[in-house]
């Protein structure tokens, strides 16, 4: 009998698939639809107070090759709804979902850490089962010394995390930005400060493209543009490496996110060290209903491979990552470059 449930930082989720923080968890209707469709849980769109404002428009862009989505850019900020609206939202969410599915509430304060503490207590009082501290948003917020600005400074990650952890009773996880030199060192600081787990990764800073006829960077914000957050398939390799590094160098439990577009992507994240996985961009394109198919496929895979629980797969592939020097010793110099390129041209994985 296959068991898809997971214990993530002391909280039980019916399955490892979470809708990550973003537009598809931005109001009670969406969150309730996700849970009813069979998702294991949700991370609520990041809630804030002093930094809440309207995002620029347009705020999305897509990079496609042969109609396939390679990468997605957003200039979206945290929620545009003020705290009193979320007060009502949380009441609806808790009364509709009750205790059946855990709710992770993502928060972001301003540069003053006391606002993070205030928001953390606010969320706990309203029934959050876990907190996710958004130290990862790469646009808009860093200019205000929050979001990825915190995630890029190990000392700030330690300080803000410690303040929040000592102020609430529920587990705290930290969402990390990949835009750092060594993500595992930042994760270590979160662990030292008492975080139970981390979410990796938030979006990767980038620009989705340029309209060369008009020399216009995209998305076109009234003739200008900015550096946005890149998500979707292009960032999966970055996310897998981040999760593997954190898994190998800390005892934190990990929620893996970045480019999960099918159930196999999710298994890859689990095998690199994730206990739960999150999807955002794909839910924006496809909605929530596909999750029953993903769960069915995952169960069939686990049955075929003899895995009884998600925990049996966590980190299996990460354990096979080795330093270059080790790879030099075990390498068999059988293939040449031309042969390798044939493999690369034919399919993604050699
Ligand atoms: C439009 C959009 C809005 C997002 N808003 C948030 C947010 O409010 N808080 C947050 O922590 N991450 C936010 N993210 C980042 C996602 O949670 C996720 O880390 C990232 O998109 C990578 O996952 P994906 O490739 O499945 O989208 C957002 C992503 C997108 C695409």
């Amino acid at each position: 009998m296959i068991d898809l449930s997971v214990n993530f930082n002391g909280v039980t989720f019916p399955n490892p698939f979470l809708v990550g923080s973003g537009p598809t968890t931005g109001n009670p209707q969406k969150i309730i639809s996700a849970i009813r469709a069979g998702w294991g849980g949700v991370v609520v769109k990041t809630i804030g107070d002093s930094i809440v404002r309207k995002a620029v428009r347009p705020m999305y862009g897509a990079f496609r090759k042969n109609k396939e989505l390679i990468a997605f850019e957003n200039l979206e900020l945290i929620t545009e709804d003020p705290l009193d609206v979320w007060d009502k939202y949380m009441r609806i969410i808790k009364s509709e979902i009750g205790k059946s599915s855990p709710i992770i509430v993502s928060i972001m304060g301003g540069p003053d850490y006391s606002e993070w503490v205030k928001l953390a207590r606010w969320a706990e009082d309203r029934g959050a089962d876990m907190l996710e501290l958004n130290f990862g948003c790469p646009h808009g917020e860093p200019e205000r010394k929050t979001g990825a600005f915190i995630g890029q400074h190990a000392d700030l990650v330690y300080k803000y995390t410690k303040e929040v952890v000592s102020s609430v009773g529920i587990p705290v996880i930290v969402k990390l930005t990949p835009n750092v030199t060594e993500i595992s060192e930042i994760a270590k600081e979160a662990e030292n400060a008492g975080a139970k787990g981390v979410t990796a990764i938030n979006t990767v800073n980038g620009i989705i493209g340029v309209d060369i006829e008009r020399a216009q960077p995209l998305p076109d914000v009234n003739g200008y543009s900015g550096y946005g957050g890149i998500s979707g398939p292009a960032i999966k390799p970055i996310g897998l490496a981040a999760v593997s590094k954190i898994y190998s160098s800390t005892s934190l439990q990990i929620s893996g996110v970045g480019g999960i577009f099918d159930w196999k992507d999710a298994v890859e994240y689990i095998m690199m060290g994730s206990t739960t996985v999150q999807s955002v961009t794909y839910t924006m394109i496809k909605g929530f209903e596909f999750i029953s198919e993903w769960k069915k496929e995952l169960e069939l895979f686990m049955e075929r491979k003899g895995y009884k629980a998600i925990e049996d797969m966590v980190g299996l592939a990460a354990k096979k990552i080795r330093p270059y020097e080790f790879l030099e010793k075990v390498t068999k110099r059988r293939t040449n470059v031309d042969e390798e390129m044939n493999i690369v041209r034919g399919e993604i994985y050699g």
Side-chain angles (χ1 to χ4, degrees), residues 197-208:
V198 290
T199 299
I201 53 174
N202 209 310
T203 49
V204 180
N205 202 216
I207 290 176
I208 205 68

Side-chain angles (χ1 to χ4, degrees), residues 21 23 45-46 60 74 76 134 175 201-202 231-232 257 259 280-281:
S21 184
K45 172 75 188 168
T46 303
Y60 299 150
N74 83 87
E76 185 172 310
N134 183 347
K175 185 160 180 190
I201 53 174
N202 209 310
S231 60
V257 52
V280 177
T281 303

